Amino acid sequence: MSKKKKVFFSILTWIGTATLPYLIRKWTEETGKFTGRISTLNYSNDKSIGYYLIPGLIPLPRKLAQSIFEPKKYDFNLIEYGHKDYNLEAISFAIDNHIKQAGYQKVRLITIGLGDHLLAFLDYTLADMIRDEKVEVVTIDNLPSPDFLSRHSYKLLSLVEPGLMSLRIFFGWLAEIPFIRFRGDWRSPAVLIEQLSSLVGYIGDYSQDEIMSCIKAVVKNGEASYASPDIDSLLDITFNFVEDEQEDAPPCKTFYNYFGNPSNLADSITAGGCLRVLKNLDWNF
């Protein structure tokens, strides 16, 4: 074999080895298993309501979630993503199975940031409960679509996203290793890049789904990096369109600029912020 052919086949072999992890992930997306866990922070014999806390890009440790929300009355469950995957479909099926095994009569979901992208998939897995009005949702600092990104943030992400995806494929198996630490949780570069990529697409857009009629409140921090100048009108248009299309659908309660310090999650969710909204809705967990 000539030297040129050896170099050519060596390059092909390297490309195949490097891209294999990405290809395997894409091939197994529909059949992938949830590698994380659903931790119950408070157990209760009362199964009339089950609460689920769904964090976003930054993990929410159990101890921090427990101290902020202080659940006492009902089961309060925390979704903890796997170290390597960001398979929203697999996570939504895991939540559905957990609900069925627990036997909750009603489910209340609290999503934070990118956690609301799961709603597009839960709209399918929880279809029966949604139809029977047994699902309620509060989204905190929600991001259903790129419309909620500021122009600057969107341009920046659009520019770096192709490069990040290329690096992810280029580094192959190394990109799958969870060596980035967030609040005690380990993440791989691959899963972080995949989450950031979802910000510039409509992968988790649930704004046209039936689950919109389940949303009771949207809590938005006006100082968040992705909040657009007209975020209040965007919230109203996006989350209250159901009222116009369905006469019997209640309007979504929108709370704007309700947070405390946006850089401090605990401060943002305390009595001066999100918990105040949940109290107004009579969400007593």
Side-chain angles (χ1 to χ4, degrees), residues 6-33:
K6 288 182 179 180
V7 172
F8 175 74
F9 282 111
S10 296
I11 293 173
L12 281 182
T13 302
W14 177 81
I15 292 175
T17 304
T19 58
L20 188 59
Y22 176 78
L23 294 174
I24 289 175
R25 185 190 289 261
K26 291 303 174 185
W27 287 334
T28 59
E29 268 187 349
E30 294 184 359
T31 57
K33 293 183 178 180

Side-chain angles (χ1 to χ4, degrees), residues 227-240:
S228 61
D230 57 344
I231 192 70
D232 49 349
S233 61
L234 181 59
L235 283 169
D236 184 64
I237 293 171
T238 304
F239 290 95
N240 287 329

Side-chain angles (χ1 to χ4, degrees), residues 72-141:
K72 297 173 183 176
K73 189 174 182 179
Y74 299 101
D75 282 9
F76 195 90
N77 307 291
L78 173 65
I79 309 302
E80 298 182 275
Y81 302 128
H83 295 320
K84 296 181 179 181
D85 66 334
Y86 185 60
N87 189 332
L88 295 174
E89 187 173 17
I91 300 170
S92 66
F93 275 110
I95 294 174
D96 180 49
N97 290 332
H98 193 273
I99 291 171
K100 289 176 179 176
Q101 290 176 9
Y104 299 131
Q105 297 175 29
K106 178 185 285 187
V107 172
R108 287 175 171 171
L109 309 174
I110 304 170
T111 72
I112 301 175
L114 273 177
D116 72 342
H117 283 203
L118 261 174
L119 298 180
F121 296 84
L122 289 171
D123 177 76
Y124 168 73
T125 57
L126 302 181
D128 292 341
M129 294 190 75
I130 292 171
R131 185 187 62 243
D132 296 337
E133 299 182 348
K134 295 180 179 180
V135 177
E136 295 179 340
V137 182
V138 165
T139 65
I140 304 171
D141 239 356

Side-chain angles (χ1 to χ4, degrees), residues 25-26 29 86 168 189-198:
R25 185 190 289 261
K26 291 303 174 185
E29 268 187 349
Y86 185 60
R168 171 194 169 182
V191 70
L192 291 176
I193 292 171
E194 202 153 304
Q195 284 179 286
L196 289 172
S197 296
S198 69

Side-chain angles (χ1 to χ4, degrees), residues 78 96 161 188 208 219 229 231 250 273:
L78 173 65
D96 180 49
E161 192 267 342
S188 68
Q208 300 296 321
V219 189
I231 192 70

